[in-house]
Amino acid sequence: MIKNAIEIKNLKKIYDNKFEALKSIDLDIPKGSFYGLLGPNGAGKTTTIGAISGLVNYDIGSISIMGHDNKSDYRIARKLIGLSPQELNFDVFFPIRKVLEFQAGYYGLSFNESKERTEIMLEQFGLTEKRNNTCRELSGGMKRRLQIAKALIHNPEILILDEPTAGVDIELRYMLWDFLKKINNEGKTILLTTHYIEEAEQLCDRIAIIDNGNIITNDKTKNLTGKNGNTQIVIDCENIEKDNIIKNFNFKINNNQIIVDTEAPNKTLPNVVEQLNNSNIIINNIEIKKSTLEQVFLKLTSNYASDK
Ligand code: ADP
């Protein structure tokens, strides 16, 4: 049984013999996962997915797709992947039905299979009515849907999406999210690059953050904020008089608020409340604030920049 849909080992990409776009990447993408690759512009996301899907020739390292090396076994490896790149990649003067049929043909589907899959994809993406229109007659949202339909035409095990919702309106974004969640639930492994942190948080069960050609963290989405963020207990009070009202914890006072930094609020909170009670401080409200993924992302990517 293959555990990982994609396994990247020690991947390095140097452009033009001088620019190290990927330094040494190791990444396992479990089969069936919805994996997010997050990072600021220029971090190396597109280069990484280009290397996975065979569009970028890499210098050092190896990539295995469902157990098939994507260099020595590239025919099988590439068939297992459907890629929806950032830039629209079809001839705008072609009827969309033909775009899909030709794409199916490139992947070795027979004439009849190509026609059948095309109709299924047109239906699934709400494009049946436009089947004889050319791509340039489609709206922006329809073009994006066609792009993903094209990536899925050969029914690959793995779908790779590079910034799928860049520039699309909210309605289409939600429609795409629902669709992607559905096909992931049905078993497709999805690798998504995005710089919309909310998108990664909503969709992905695991996230890797890449910055400056390095993976700086890689974990289950729900663990990322816990491990890399912090929690603050914010207490609205009356009668705050001195600075040393709480012992053994880091805290600051902001007008009538005491703000305690903690990694374990469930342990810290009772102790802090007890200390405040002993100091005759009246507590009006208590709030526990956890870092958002966005704060974690900014902290990790800026930490990394200052370490370099
Ligand atoms: P991202 O997708 O995270 O925005 P990219 O993978 O596109 O990042 O780019 C990573 C780095 O590699 C950037 O500094 C970019 O300028 C550089 N780069 C990307 N493609 C090329 C190329 N074909 N030639 C030279 N440098 C490139």
Side-chain angles (χ1 to χ4, degrees):
M1 258 294 268
I2 297 211
K3 188 170 148 242
N4 293 318
I6 302 173
E7 276 181 18
I8 303 177
K9 292 207 173 21
N10 186 29
L11 176 67
K12 220 176 231 221
K13 171 65 194 172
I14 302 168
Y15 282 114
D16 306 327
N17 281 329
K18 49 180 193 284
F19 181 71
E20 231 186 15
L22 300 179
K23 305 226 159 101
S24 176
I25 286 193
D26 287 294
L27 198 64
D28 287 345
I29 298 178
K31 209 171 159 218
S33 62
F34 201 137
Y35 208 103
L37 193 56
L38 268 181
N41 285 331
K45 303 182 295 296
T46 302
T47 303
T48 305
I49 61 173
I52 295 171
S53 44
L55 296 175
V56 168
N57 196 9
Y58 49 93
D59 304 278
I60 295 172
S62 67
I63 301 178
S64 157
I65 313 292
M66 299 279 186
H68 300 276
D69 184 277
N70 86 335
K71 278 190 175 172
S72 59
D73 216 355
Y74 70 92
R75 280 181 198 276
I76 298 181
R78 283 187 201 175
K79 271 195 182 175
L80 290 164
I81 292 175
L83 171 67
S84 166
Q86 233 176 82
E87 311 289 337
L88 298 177
N89 63 344
F90 34 73
D91 187 326
V92 292
F93 296 103
F94 252 55
I96 65 170
R97 178 172 57 83
K98 288 277 169 212
V99 168
L100 294 176
E101 285 173 6
F102 282 174
Q103 182 74 2
Y106 294 145
Y107 278 97
L109 274 71
S110 69
F111 181 79
N112 286 341
E113 281 170 336
S114 299
K115 286 200 169 299
E116 201 179 306
R117 280 294 295 168
T118 294
E119 294 311 318
I120 292 173
M121 288 292 102
L122 288 171
E123 183 65 35
Q124 207 161 50
F125 284 88
L127 293 168
T128 306
E129 261 180 42
K130 301 277 177 186
R131 58 204 295 287
N132 292 319
N133 286 80
T134 62
C135 299
R136 66 184 190 142
E137 291 161 349
L138 301 185
S139 70
M142 288 173 189
K143 285 186 184 130
R144 186 62 65 181
R145 280 184 265 157
L146 178 62
Q147 171 103 337
I148 300 176
K150 192 177 162 209
L152 287 170
I153 192 78
H154 58 297
N155 201 11
E157 296 260 355
I158 303 167
L159 175 63
I160 300 182
L161 301 146
D162 197 359
E163 304 277 357
T165 58
V168 308
D169 66 25
I170 294 187
E171 202 182 337
L172 177 61
R173 178 171 303 175
Y174 287 141
M175 192 210 108
L176 285 178
W177 285 5
D178 284 346
F179 175 76
L180 295 175
K181 280 186 206 162
K182 181 171 156 277
I183 62 171
N184 177 244
N185 283 336
E186 287 165 1
K188 286 227 188 302
T189 306
I190 302 182
L191 173 62
L192 166 91
T193 80
T194 181
H195 51 240
Y196 293 120
I197 292 162
E198 190 209 341
E199 177 160 279
E201 209 166 12
Q202 285 277 333
L203 295 176
C204 303
D205 47 71
R206 292 190 76 98
I207 291 177
I209 298 181
I210 182 168
D211 193 18
N212 203 38
N214 286 294
I215 302 278
I216 52 175
T217 190
N218 153 28
D219 210 329
K220 288 188 177 149
T221 309
K222 63 178 166 42
N223 293 347
L224 272 178
T225 42
K227 209 159 83 182
N228 301 292
N230 63 356
T231 304
Q232 290 187 326
I233 301 173
V234 181
I235 308 167
D236 294 341
C237 342
E238 288 170 32
N239 295 348
I240 304 175
E241 273 165 13
K242 32 189 194 277
D243 282 357
N244 61 345
I245 37 182
I246 309 175
K247 293 193 178 64
N248 306 328
F249 296 107
N250 282 333
F251 72 98
K252 57 182 183 249
I253 295 175
N254 189 1
N255 298 323
N256 60 348
Q257 280 187 332
I258 297 172
I259 300 165
V260 186
D261 286 317
T262 176
E263 282 176 4
N266 52 341
K267 292 197 182 124
T268 308
L269 184 60
N271 192 316
V272 167
V273 169
E274 191 183 338
Q275 293 192 47
L276 295 180
N277 282 338
N278 291 343
S279 308
N280 291 325
I281 289 175
I282 298 166
I283 298 172
N284 288 326
N285 190 39
I286 298 176
E287 206 179 332
I288 295 177
K289 289 188 174 169
K290 291 196 170 171
S291 300
T292 61
L293 186 58
E294 186 161 306
Q295 287 162 333
V296 167
F297 176 82
L298 288 171
K299 181 181 141 199
L300 289 176
T301 50
S302 63
N303 270 357
Y304 196 76
S306 60
D307 283 352
K308 279 180 286 187

